[in-house]
Amino acid sequence: MAYMHGNLALKPKKQPEQPRAPRKQTVVRRKSIPVQEKLLYLFTILVCVFVAGTIIFRYAQIYQINLDIKEVNRHQTEMSAEIKELQKKVEQLSDPEVIRKKALEQGMVQSEEPITVKVN
């Protein structure tokens, strides 16, 4: 029987393991950040949060103003259309012939005497 993975006779023999003595491990401790540096970081973060909050608040105000402008424009457009309709109605009702017909419908009679108006 031929060995396909090489000759076992050439394989080195394992040497028995010798018990090792426990090693001392060195622990590296990092220095803590000084209080002044911590306060500096905290102050920087607070400033950034304040600036971001201010910017967001201003954008919210601008958005609200834009909504108000759109609402006023819509209201103004509606009022313009209503004014045009009312002006047409005024023109129709101001026609002397329409006034005469309405007066006759309500039982008024036309006077034959001329009307005099005195101005002081």
Side-chain angles (χ1 to χ4, degrees):
M1 186 180 229
Y3 290 100
M4 295 183 70
H5 298 293
N7 192 347
L8 290 177
L10 298 177
K11 215 175 207 182
K13 294 182 181 178
K14 289 185 179 179
Q15 295 184 0
E17 291 187 22
Q18 297 175 355
R20 294 184 183 179
R23 287 186 175 182
K24 291 184 179 178
Q25 293 183 350
T26 57
V27 177
V28 178
R29 287 190 169 196
R30 292 180 31 183
K31 291 183 179 179
S32 65
I33 300 174
V35 174
Q36 292 174 342
E37 194 171 348
K38 287 180 185 179
L39 289 175
L40 178 67
Y41 290 152
L42 179 65
F43 179 71
T44 304
I45 290 171
L46 290 176
V47 167
C48 291
V49 168
F50 178 74
V51 169
T54 304
I55 291 171
I56 291 171
F57 179 72
R58 295 296 291 166
Y59 272 113
Q61 283 182 332
I62 291 170
Y63 180 75
Q64 184 64 41
I65 290 171
N66 285 337
L67 285 179
D68 293 342
I69 289 171
K70 286 180 184 178
E71 179 66 26
V72 168
N73 285 339
R74 185 188 59 78
H75 187 67
Q76 188 263 342
T77 304
E78 290 175 359
M79 295 305 268
S80 295
E82 187 177 344
I83 287 172
K84 286 181 182 178
E85 289 176 21
L86 291 174
Q87 284 176 343
K88 286 180 185 178
K89 194 171 186 180
V90 165
E91 287 176 11
Q92 290 173 353
L93 295 176
S94 296
D95 185 24
E97 191 60 36
V98 172
I99 294 173
R100 187 174 291 122
K101 285 181 184 177
K102 291 255 184 194
L104 292 175
E105 285 175 5
Q106 293 180 0
M108 295 184 179
V109 290
Q110 187 170 0
S111 171
E112 298 298 329
E113 298 175 14
I115 300 174
T116 58
V117 177
K118 291 185 182 180
V119 179
N120 290 334

